[in-house]
Amino acid sequence: MISRRKFIKKMAVFFSFIPLGVMGFFEWFSRSVSKTDPGAAEPAKPSASEPAPPKKVSPEPLLSMFLLSDLHISVSESSMTEKLHWALKDVTDFESKVEAIVLGGDLTDFGRASDYKLLKSVLDKYTLPPVHANLGNHDYYDVWLNKDGQFSTDTVPNGKTDAQSRQRFMEFFGYGKPYNDVWINGVHLIMVSQEAYYQEKPEVGEGAWYSDEQLAWLQETMKAHADGKPALIFIHQPLPALGMDGRTHQLIRATEFRNILKPYKNVFVLSGHTHRNFVGESHYNKDNTFHWFNNASVGRTRSSSGSVAQGMYIQVYEDRVVVRGREFSNRSWIDEANWTVSLV
C-alpha cells in the first residue's frame, strides 16, 4: 500500500502538468523513460565508411630486360660469335624496350684475354642498355691451356691461376668483386658468381663455389626485400634437389643459398649452364620457396641443328613477372616458353 506521503508527492507532480495539458505530461514521461529504461533502443550509429578503391596498377612494366646465357665466345670458334651477333641485332632492334642485359655466365669458352677482347669487339658494335654479368665455370678454363694454347690436363694449371681469371672478368665489367648488384627502375638485379675453380678447389669440379663472404653479402643484400619487392638473382650452375648440397655442375652450397632466400617472397632465381632448349624441355621449377627459371644458351643451345640461339626476355610489372623464351636465329617467340607469375 502506498504511503500517504508518496501519494501526495505523485499527485503534486500530476497537477503540476495540468497547465501544460495532457501532451506536456506525456512529453515529460517519455523523457523519463529514455533516461532510465535500460532496454530502450540506442540511437543509430553512422555507417562505416566505404572501402577504398583498389590501387590502380600501371599497364607498363617497371623493367624489361634480356638474360643471355652461355655465349662461349672463343677466338677458336667463330660460330659462337655469329650467334651473339644474332642476339644483339635482335635486342637492339626489338619490338619493345630493353633496359638491361645480363650475361649469365660462360661468357667465354676459355676465359683468355683474347676471348674477352673478342667479346668486347662484338659488344662495341651495338648501342646497348647497361650490361651486367656473372661468372661461369668456362670463364676459368684458361688453366687447362698450355703455352701453345692446347688443352692439357697433364700440366694443369699450366702456370695460370683462378685469381687471374676472376680479375679479367672483374676488370672487363669494372667490378670490385666477382659478385655485384644493381637497382634499375626500382627492380633489384643480384649477380652471384663462382669464386673458385680447379686450381684453387679441385674438389668442386665444375660446380659453383660461393665463399662465406659472398653468402654473407647476399644475406645482407636480401634485407632490402623484407617488404616483398621482387628480387632477380642470377646464378650460373643450377641447384641440386631440395634438401641437398650440390656437386660438380651444380651450386655447391645450395642449402645455405636456399636458407638465405627462404624468408622472402617474390624472389626469382635465373640460372644457365645446362644449355637446354626452350622447345620440349622443362625450364620453370616450382619446388622451392622462390621461382626458379633455367635459361637456354645463345652459343650452344641443345638442338638437332646448329642454327639455334636462344635467350630469355624478362618483364617486371607492379603485380607480376613475365618470362619468355626468344629464338634469335629468326627473331621469334617460343610459344611453349611463356610464363606469367603473379606477385604476392
Side-chain angles (χ1 to χ4, degrees), residues 151-204:
F151 202 90
S152 176
T153 59
D154 294 334
T155 54
V156 68
N158 292 292
K160 323 283 183 57
T161 67
D162 292 347
Q164 290 171 332
S165 294
R166 285 193 298 274
Q167 190 62 32
R168 286 191 195 110
F169 169 82
M170 291 187 291
E171 288 180 356
F172 191 88
F173 290 97
Y175 293 164
K177 300 281 186 182
Y179 45 91
N180 189 47
D181 75 307
V182 63
W183 291 84
I184 302 177
N185 300 342
V187 179
H188 203 179
L189 311 184
I190 304 170
M191 284 69 64
V192 297
S193 282
Q194 178 175 340
E195 289 182 89
Y197 186 58
Y198 191 85
Q199 182 263 324
E200 293 173 337
K201 286 186 175 294
E203 68 272 17
V204 307

Side-chain angles (χ1 to χ4, degrees), residues 33-223:
V33 169
S34 67
K35 290 180 181 179
T36 59
D37 186 359
E42 295 184 4
K45 295 180 180 179
S47 60
S49 59
E50 294 295 325
K55 179 184 176 182
K56 188 175 181 180
V57 176
S58 172
E60 295 299 316
L62 301 171
L63 175 67
S64 300
M65 59 160 291
F66 267 101
L67 173 60
L68 307 179
S69 299
D70 298 273
L71 313 180
H72 290 279
I73 294 299
S74 170
V75 294
S76 308
E77 176 54 74
S78 62
S79 66
M80 306 299 110
T81 302
E82 181 184 13
K83 291 178 181 180
L84 180 56
H85 277 297
W86 295 349
L88 296 179
K89 286 175 183 176
D90 193 12
V91 167
T92 53
D93 188 26
F94 202 59
E95 60 191 52
S96 57
K97 62 184 177 182
V98 179
E99 296 161 297
I101 296 173
V102 171
L103 307 180
D106 284 3
L107 287 63
T108 65
D109 217 16
F110 291 99
R112 296 169 290 193
S114 57
D115 296 332
Y116 278 105
K117 183 179 179 180
L118 176 57
L119 175 59
K120 184 177 187 305
S121 71
V122 175
L123 296 176
D124 286 347
K125 293 182 184 300
Y126 301 89
T127 302
L128 300 172
V131 178
H132 304 276
N134 55 352
L135 273 158
N137 52 311
H138 271 260
D139 299 312
Y140 283 95
Y141 267 31
D142 196 20
V143 296
W144 295 108
L145 303 181
N146 63 22
K147 60 183 177 59
D148 298 320
Q150 301 300 311
F151 202 90
S152 176
T153 59
D154 294 334
T155 54
V156 68
N158 292 292
K160 323 283 183 57
T161 67
D162 292 347
Q164 290 171 332
S165 294
R166 285 193 298 274
Q167 190 62 32
R168 286 191 195 110
F169 169 82
M170 291 187 291
E171 288 180 356
F172 191 88
F173 290 97
Y175 293 164
K177 300 281 186 182
Y179 45 91
N180 189 47
D181 75 307
V182 63
W183 291 84
I184 302 177
N185 300 342
V187 179
H188 203 179
L189 311 184
I190 304 170
M191 284 69 64
V192 297
S193 282
Q194 178 175 340
E195 289 182 89
Y197 186 58
Y198 191 85
Q199 182 263 324
E200 293 173 337
K201 286 186 175 294
E203 68 272 17
V204 307
E206 301 299 316
W209 173 261
Y210 304 155
S211 67
D212 290 344
E213 181 184 4
Q214 181 172 189
L215 290 175
W217 169 84
L218 178 61
Q219 187 170 33
E220 184 64 27
T221 300
M222 286 303 300
K223 290 180 180 178

Side-chain angles (χ1 to χ4, degrees), residues 95 278 311-315 322-326 333 337-339:
E95 60 191 52
F278 278 126
M312 188 178 284
Y313 185 57
I314 304 161
Q315 290 183 296
V322 177
V323 178
R324 302 182 71 182
R326 184 75 171 177
W333 294 113
N338 190 349
W339 304 273

